[in-house]
């Protein structure tokens, strides 16, 4: 190779290097000029006007922004005073300020990483004019859906989709309003901070506030015995810290490290709540659930929740493992049961739950005091949760044991009149098994009680709609003398049915018209066997009717060969002779030869009147 050839090759390489250097310098200059122009306030505002004008035209509504600031050297961007209206010219989205810090080194690979995005003073208004109408933001969804279809078409042509990765999101002083007809709900928060961590995120939420208002009176208005909880009138404040380990299209895994939820009006005060959850978006599995409401703490070992899906027709369903806890019923008094406001007796709870949108089932229910002087074993369910008048609570009490003195402790937790407490003490240890139902203001109780004074069975129902108490009681051998401290009164075998008016308004009106302080109702009773000293009384029937002022009835003592009967009247308003006996009578049984049945034949002859008066006088004394 000659020197000329070498020189020619060297010149060519030099020219190539010179051209390459020129191109690189030109690119650098163009980039520098573009950067300087983009960082000038004039260019940025002009670009902002073009962008908002384009969006307004595309969306068919007003899109405004006060100003924008772009710094390509960091790079970062800030947007101020964003305001978007819905298609009815109502404010839909407002934002005081939004800023983002972006990594653009990977933009050549169709990937952008947003290191940090922060929004301040965000306000969103979601409106549905009726239940079936589309929300006011639907036009945005439709617009984005069209854009998404275009992106899919480009992807099918082999072009790579732009991937955006956000590492940290902060939301300050945000408020969201949801309005449907007259109902209006609001959600506001002081701060939401989401930080990417591996495949998941760390989430911190501070002072989330949920307010609901259905523009109707509270459910407990003029109803002092009803709790304050009303989903139509809530003012809940919540804060939480959560770790989302995995968040994908069909997989979610998280740990709720701490949460507090309170509503001072309703009385909700969850001081601590923790759990671990995983989901495949069809079923959610929970474990290690713990929450504390006031002084009450509950722990749930596990739970599985089938998530509802309209497309597949699946409905909400759930089932828990063992739930254990230490309970103070006073903690749920204000939201759910004001009658429990003085119930401070510590209880231990153990139960399992399952159910769906329409029912809840409770199995292996165990309730006891800390000293085990009260123990309850039961099973039950609640049906028709979404049917107001069909709502039904039903429980079978398999076994309840109360040690002597504990029943008084339980009664003392309630603001009620304490009647016959000494007689209750005489009953000693009490064992009960039975059943109760509650269906739309109607409660029914029944069961068997075993006491130190003997057993008895009972059933009664409370009709809160018509205000009546109906029921019955029976016993084969109850030591009434021991219970009432009457030494010469022996065992009693009896049964009775009663029907009592519990309407305060009707009772007050009847007493005002007629005077008196007696209850209104009726009683029908039979004493099968009883004794007092050496006197035995058997087969005594009594019926009593009372109108609130005067009680009257009939008493019949049935014998083998004759019946003795009389009518009585009791009027507590009289100063003397409050109890009057009248219409005494005696009837004898005779055998009917035709069918061998017992019939009665009234004695009316004058010669038998003396015998009648003597027998009646003797039995009256007894």
């Amino acid at each position: 190779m000659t020197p000329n050839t070498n020189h020619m090759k060297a010149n060519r390489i030099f020219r190539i290097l010179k051209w390459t250097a020129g191109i690189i310098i030109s690119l650098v200059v163009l980039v520098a000029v573009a950067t300087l122009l983009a960082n000038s306030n004039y260019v940025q505002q002009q670009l902002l006007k073009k962008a908002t004008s384009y969006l307004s035209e595309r969306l068919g509504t007003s899109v405004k922004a006060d100003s924008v600031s772009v710094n390509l050297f960091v790079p970062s961007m800030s947007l101020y005073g964003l305001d978007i209206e819905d298609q009815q010219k109502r404010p839909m989205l407002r934002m005081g300020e939004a800023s983002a810090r972006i990594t653009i080194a990977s933009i050549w690979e169709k990937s952008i990483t947003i290191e940090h995005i922060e929004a301040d003073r965000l306000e969103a208004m979601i409106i549905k004019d009726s239940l079936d109408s589309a929300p006011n933001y639907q036009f945005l969804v439709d617009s984005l859906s069209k854009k998404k279809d275009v992106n899919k078409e480009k992807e099918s042509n082999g072009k790579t989709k732009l991937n955006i990765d956000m590492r940290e999101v902060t939301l300050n002083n945000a408020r969201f309003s949801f309005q449907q007809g007259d109902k209006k709900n609001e959600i506001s928060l002081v701060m939401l901070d989401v930080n990417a961590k591996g495949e998941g995120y760390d989430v911190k939420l501070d002072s989330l506030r949920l307010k609901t208002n259905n523009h109707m009176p509270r459910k407990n208005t003029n109803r002092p015995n009803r709790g304050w909880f009303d989903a139509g009138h809530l003012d809940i404040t919540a804060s939480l810290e959560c770790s989302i380990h995995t968040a994908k299209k069909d997989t979610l895994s998280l740990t709720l490290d701490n949460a507090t939820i309170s509503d001072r009006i309703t009385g909700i005060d969850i001081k601590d709540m923790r759990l671990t959850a995983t989901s495949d978006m069809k079923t959610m599995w929970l474990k290690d659930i713990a929450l504390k409401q006031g002084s009450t703490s509950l722990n749930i070992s596990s739970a599985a929740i089938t998530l509802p899906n309209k497309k597949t027709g699946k409905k909400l369903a759930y089932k828990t493992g063992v739930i254990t806890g230490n309970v103070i019923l006073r903690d749920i008094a204000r939201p759910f049961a004001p009658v429990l406001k003085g119930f401070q007796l510590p209880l231990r709870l153990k139960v399992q739950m399952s159910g769906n949108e329409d029912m809840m089932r409770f199995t292996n229910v165990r309730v006891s005091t800390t000293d085990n002087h009260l123990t309850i074993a039961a099973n039950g369910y609640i049906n028709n949760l979404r049917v107001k008048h069909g709502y039904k609570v039903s429980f079978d009490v398999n076994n309840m044991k109360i040690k002597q003195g504990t029943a008084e402790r339980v009664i003392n937790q309630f603001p009620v009149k304490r009647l016959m407490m000494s007689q209750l003490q005489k009953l000693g240890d009490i064992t009960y098994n039975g059943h109760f139902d509650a269906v739309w203001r109607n409660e029914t109780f029944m069961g068997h009680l075993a006491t130190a004074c003997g057993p008895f069975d009972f059933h009664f129902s409370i009709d809160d709609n018509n205000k009546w108490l109906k029921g019955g009681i029976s016993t084969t051998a109850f030591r009434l003398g021991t219970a009432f401290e009457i030494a010469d009164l022996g065992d009693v075998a009896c049964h009775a049915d009663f029907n009592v008016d519990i309407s305060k308004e009707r009772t007050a009106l009847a007493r005002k018209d007629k005077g008196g302080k007696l209850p209104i109702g009726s009683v029908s009773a039979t004493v099968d066997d009883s004794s007092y000293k050496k006197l035995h009384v058997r087969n005594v029937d009594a019926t009593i009717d009372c109108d609130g002022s005067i009680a009257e009835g009939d008493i019949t003592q049935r014998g083998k060969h004759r019946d003795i009967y009389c009518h009585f009247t009791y009027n507590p308003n009289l100063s003397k002779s409050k109890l009057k006996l009248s219409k005494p009578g005696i009837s004898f049984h005779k055998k009917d030869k035709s069918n061998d049945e017992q019939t009665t034949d009234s004695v009316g002859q004058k010669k038998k009147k003396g015998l009648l008066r003597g027998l009646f006088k003797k039995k009256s004394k007894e």
Side-chain angles (χ1 to χ4, degrees):
M1 190 175 293
T2 62
N4 265 344
T5 304
N6 293 333
H7 181 70
M8 289 175 62
K9 288 184 177 181
N11 286 335
R12 289 174 183 173
I13 293 173
F14 178 76
R15 283 195 296 268
I16 291 172
L17 291 174
K18 184 177 179 181
W19 293 338
T20 303
I23 293 172
I24 293 173
I25 292 171
S26 299
L27 288 174
V28 170
V29 171
L30 287 173
V31 170
V33 171
T35 301
L36 291 172
L37 288 173
N39 275 273
S40 70
N41 183 62
Y42 176 78
V43 173
Q44 291 176 6
Q45 303 316 310
Q46 291 300 315
L47 291 174
L48 177 62
K49 289 181 180 180
K50 292 289 186 182
T52 54
S53 176
Y54 170 76
L55 288 175
S56 297
E57 183 179 350
R58 179 180 177 84
L59 299 176
T61 187
S62 173
V63 179
K64 298 178 182 178
D66 292 342
S67 61
V68 67
S69 176
V70 180
N71 188 341
L72 296 179
F73 294 105
V74 173
S76 65
M77 182 188 74
S78 297
L79 181 66
Y80 304 93
L82 179 64
D83 193 342
I84 302 177
E85 295 179 348
D86 63 18
Q87 293 186 318
Q88 281 71 44
K89 307 301 181 183
R90 297 171 296 193
M92 187 180 68
L93 180 66
R94 289 177 178 174
M95 185 164 52
E97 180 181 352
S99 60
R101 190 172 68 251
I102 307 169
T103 298
I104 62 173
S106 57
I107 196 168
W108 312 112
E109 300 175 4
K110 299 290 184 179
S111 178
I112 295 178
T113 299
I114 301 177
E115 299 291 343
H116 180 255
I117 184 169
E118 183 173 358
D120 189 27
R121 303 186 306 281
L122 174 65
E123 295 182 19
M125 176 71 78
I126 309 301
I127 300 175
K128 288 187 69 175
D129 296 322
S130 65
L131 181 64
D132 299 326
S133 63
N136 63 333
Y137 62 82
Q138 186 62 44
F139 71 99
L140 282 177
V141 176
D142 296 339
S143 178
L144 292 174
S145 298
K146 293 177 183 178
K147 188 175 180 181
K148 187 175 181 180
D149 293 339
V150 173
N151 288 336
K152 285 184 178 180
E153 186 178 347
K154 289 183 177 180
E155 289 175 35
S156 64
N157 293 332
K159 293 188 177 181
T160 306
K161 182 182 176 181
L162 179 64
N163 182 38
I164 300 176
D165 183 22
M166 287 192 292
R167 307 301 300 167
E168 182 178 357
V169 178
T170 302
L171 199 58
N172 297 314
N173 302 312
R175 185 175 67 200
F176 306 89
S177 298
F178 305 88
Q179 184 173 334
Q180 179 179 309
D182 293 334
K183 297 180 180 179
K184 186 176 181 180
N185 301 334
E186 290 186 3
I187 298 178
S188 62
L189 55 88
V190 173
M191 188 271 292
L192 170 64
D193 191 36
V194 181
N195 285 288
K197 185 178 180 181
E199 293 184 349
Y201 302 90
D202 284 339
V203 180
K204 185 176 181 180
L205 180 64
D206 184 20
S207 299
L208 172 71
R209 188 176 182 183
L210 169 64
K211 294 182 68 176
T212 64
N213 186 359
N214 60 6
H215 294 282
M216 296 175 63
R218 296 190 73 94
K219 290 184 177 180
N220 67 338
T221 301
N222 299 322
R223 301 172 69 182
N225 294 325
R226 187 185 181 102
W228 280 79
F229 181 82
D230 184 349
H233 296 272
L234 294 176
D235 191 354
I236 292 177
T237 301
S239 297
L240 63 84
E241 293 182 8
C242 175
S243 298
I244 302 176
H245 310 297
T246 305
K248 297 180 179 179
K249 184 178 179 180
D250 57 355
T251 305
L252 176 66
S253 174
L254 63 87
T255 299
L256 181 62
D257 301 308
N258 179 39
T260 60
I261 305 172
S262 65
D263 185 337
R264 293 183 179 180
I265 296 177
T266 63
I268 295 174
D269 183 23
I270 299 178
K271 296 179 179 179
D272 188 14
M273 181 175 179
R274 304 169 187 270
L275 58 85
T276 299
T278 57
S279 175
D280 60 359
M281 302 309 171
K282 297 178 181 178
T283 305
M284 179 170 285
W285 296 274
L286 308 175
K287 65 177 183 178
D288 302 329
I289 307 168
L291 63 88
K292 189 172 183 181
Q293 158 78 11
S295 300
T296 295
S297 59
L298 294 176
N299 295 278
I300 306 174
S301 61
S302 61
I305 304 172
T306 300
L307 303 176
N309 190 313
K310 291 183 179 180
K311 292 182 179 179
T312 61
K314 282 190 175 181
K315 296 183 178 181
L316 175 70
Y318 58 88
K319 184 177 182 179
T320 74
V322 178
I323 303 172
T324 58
N326 298 309
V327 179
I328 303 293
L329 293 179
R330 180 184 63 179
D331 294 331
I332 64 171
R334 183 171 177 82
F336 303 112
V339 71
L340 299 174
K341 64 182 179 181
F343 204 109
Q344 303 183 54
L345 186 65
L347 299 174
R348 291 184 297 196
L349 172 68
K350 187 176 181 180
V351 65
Q352 289 177 271
M353 290 177 58
S354 60
N356 51 40
E357 296 171 340
D358 298 308
M359 64 86 66
M360 299 174 65
R361 186 173 297 279
F362 306 87
T363 55
N364 301 319
V365 181
R366 300 291 184 271
V367 179
S368 66
T369 54
T370 53
D371 56 9
N372 284 325
H373 284 184
L374 167 65
T375 59
I376 302 173
N379 295 285
Y381 63 85
I382 303 175
N383 266 354
N384 303 322
L385 291 172
R386 297 185 293 177
V387 182
K388 182 178 180 180
H389 293 181
Y391 190 87
K392 180 180 180 180
V393 180
S394 181
F395 268 85
D396 290 312
V397 180
N398 304 320
N399 191 10
M400 181 177 76
K401 295 181 179 179
I402 308 176
K403 293 285 186 181
Q404 186 177 31
T406 302
E408 293 92 319
R409 290 170 60 197
V410 173
I411 292 173
N412 288 333
Q413 306 295 310
F414 295 93
V416 296
K417 292 182 179 179
R418 292 159 180 80
L419 304 175
M420 303 179 68
M421 298 298 282
S422 60
Q423 287 77 18
L424 182 61
Q425 180 73 18
K426 296 294 182 182
L427 295 181
D429 294 353
I430 301 173
T431 301
Y432 164 73
N433 61 78
H435 179 83
F436 76 82
D437 288 320
V439 183
W440 181 236
R441 297 172 60 80
N442 285 272
E443 298 86 33
T444 302
F445 301 84
M446 62 185 67
H448 176 80
L449 278 171
T451 73
C453 294
F456 60 88
D457 298 301
F458 70 90
H459 66 91
F460 67 89
S461 60
I462 303 172
D463 182 353
D464 283 325
N465 292 304
N466 300 304
K467 300 296 181 183
W468 282 95
L469 171 64
K470 301 179 181 181
I473 187 170
S474 64
T475 179
T476 54
F478 188 76
R479 291 185 284 280
L480 193 63
T482 302
F484 285 87
E485 298 180 339
I486 303 175
D488 296 323
L489 185 61
D491 293 358
V492 175
C494 66
H495 58 274
D497 295 312
F498 54 85
N499 190 4
V500 181
D501 189 344
I502 57 174
S503 168
K504 293 182 179 179
E505 293 78 9
R506 286 197 301 262
T507 303
L509 183 61
R511 289 175 176 176
K512 182 180 179 181
D513 292 342
K514 301 179 180 181
K517 296 182 179 180
L518 297 177
I520 299 173
S522 62
V523 177
S524 175
T526 297
V527 178
D528 299 307
D529 188 22
S530 66
S531 64
Y532 181 72
K533 293 184 178 180
K534 295 182 180 181
L535 179 65
H536 241 83
V537 178
R538 296 182 180 89
N539 303 324
V540 177
D541 296 332
T543 58
I544 304 171
D545 291 294
C546 184
D547 62 1
S549 176
I550 300 173
E552 59 179 334
D554 297 287
I555 298 176
T556 302
Q557 197 274 321
R558 293 178 284 106
K560 185 175 182 180
H561 300 293
R562 55 95 187 104
D563 294 344
I564 299 174
Y565 55 86
C566 74
H567 184 80
F568 72 89
T569 303
Y570 176 72
N571 188 346
N573 298 322
L574 299 177
S575 58
K576 295 181 180 180
S577 301
K578 296 182 178 181
L579 178 63
K580 291 184 178 181
L581 302 176
S582 62
K583 300 178 182 179
I586 185 171
S587 62
F588 291 94
H589 302 289
K590 67 179 181 179
K591 197 171 184 180
D592 189 345
K593 296 180 181 180
S594 61
N595 54 13
D596 214 23
E597 293 181 352
Q598 297 293 328
T599 63
T600 60
D601 182 25
S602 299
V603 177
Q605 295 87 348
K606 293 181 179 179
K607 63 181 181 180
K608 294 183 179 179
K609 286 187 177 180
L611 177 63
L612 173 61
R613 292 191 186 96
L615 286 171
F616 176 69
K617 184 176 181 181
K618 180 181 177 181
K619 291 299 181 180
S620 297
K621 289 181 179 179
E622 292 175 358

